[in-house]
Amino acid sequence: MVFVRTTPPRPVEVTAVFPELAPLARPAIRLHPRPGSPSVGDSSVGGPLLWPAEEPWPHCEDSHLHGDSGFRQSPAEVRLDRHGLAQRHEDPYGPSFTPEEEAAMEQKAARLAERLDAGPPWPAECPVPLLPVAQLYVRDVPLLRPPGEADLLQVLWCPYDHEPDWKPATAVFWRSAASVVDVLATPPEPYEANYPGYVPEPCLLAPEAITEYPDSLDLSPELRQVVGDWSRWQAAGAEVDSSYADYPAEFYDGNLADAPGWKAGGWPPWGRTDPYRRYCAVCDARMVPLLTIASFEWDGGTRGWAPSEDRAAAYAAGHRAGLSPAQPTRVEVGSADNMQLYVCPTSPEHPHTDLIQ
């Protein structure tokens, strides 16, 4: 790893105020993705995969006719638009478009005209090549528990909304890096994406091990009542703003429980619904979080989790759309939510499942 990101100390020591929560502590690894140029030998988000040349690239077999967002760009065009936006942000008085962007726009207009003439169906013909989402080496994320001799996790998805939850369909692969001799040089890409937030920006990672505690929604009714008891906070001498006196659990959830952003392991971040347990389709074991794919590394309610190295950027005002340091991957799922990937604790080879929260 070429850079470091460090979570600031929590404003309150959780177990000092609530020793009852100590048995619920879980290890997690915040991935801290930041834009870069990863290689196949790096852990990354949206980077190239160490994929064997002799192994077929995974495709989605869905018809992709069930949901049409109206968005008409290839992954390459999405990245080009982002590059142009970044350039204009750095030099607001420069040209509106570079020659490369103008050529790409002309090609895009021509392609759209051809498709209009051809008539429906608009979505890409199946099968659709999957896009790389994340590649994690166990050396960088040691809490992963791969099957057999595997030491590498690869996650891909189809950049189309899929029923019934209207999210990208995900695929998970475990492999041994040493077994890959010849690497696939030019993987296929989808003809288009259903939404620009489904095209991850290549990012390097700065993995950081932390300890997490469950969201208040994951606590038993008894512990939820304890965390919501303002007198307990006062008795422990916790320096918490009195504005939380009526709702101390909000302070707990936003500052002490599960960390926001991309991470492996830990506790799931709930919000859209109450906790929704996932069970293995093969052995019925209760599944555990594998990876959280986050739309944002932090937001207004979780800014205190921003790494010490990013504090100035996190609290700065006036970030232009699409250029926020809180969204380095440019991924956006479920309208600024998280996608959680779960695996079977009995056997990681059993089918995974995912959930938008």
Side-chain angles (χ1 to χ4, degrees), residues 301-314:
T302 58
R303 195 178 281 117
W305 287 94
S308 299
E309 297 82 359
D310 294 327
R311 299 288 281 181

Side-chain angles (χ1 to χ4, degrees), residues 6 9 47 61 67 69 103 174 349:
T6 311
E61 301 291 339
S69 69
W174 299 96
E349 293 178 306

Side-chain angles (χ1 to χ4, degrees), residues 120-207:
W122 280 52
E125 300 81 1
C126 66
V128 173
L130 302 190
L131 272 176
V133 175
Q135 173 168 272
L136 304 179
Y137 284 87
V138 172
R139 65 169 188 259
D140 301 320
V141 189
L143 63 69
L144 294 175
R145 295 292 179 264
E149 300 298 318
D151 59 358
L152 178 60
L153 169 67
Q154 295 171 324
V155 178
L156 303 91
W157 68 20
C158 174
Y160 278 86
D161 282 323
H162 289 70
E163 294 180 306
D165 299 316
W166 304 104
K167 56 183 172 55
T170 55
V172 169
F173 296 86
W174 299 96
R175 71 173 73 253
S176 167
S179 69
V180 182
V181 179
D182 296 320
V183 179
L184 182 63
T186 310
E189 278 204 336
Y191 185 61
E192 66 183 17
N194 204 190
Y195 180 61
Y198 296 165
V199 181
E201 194 70 13
C203 288
L204 290 165
L205 308 180

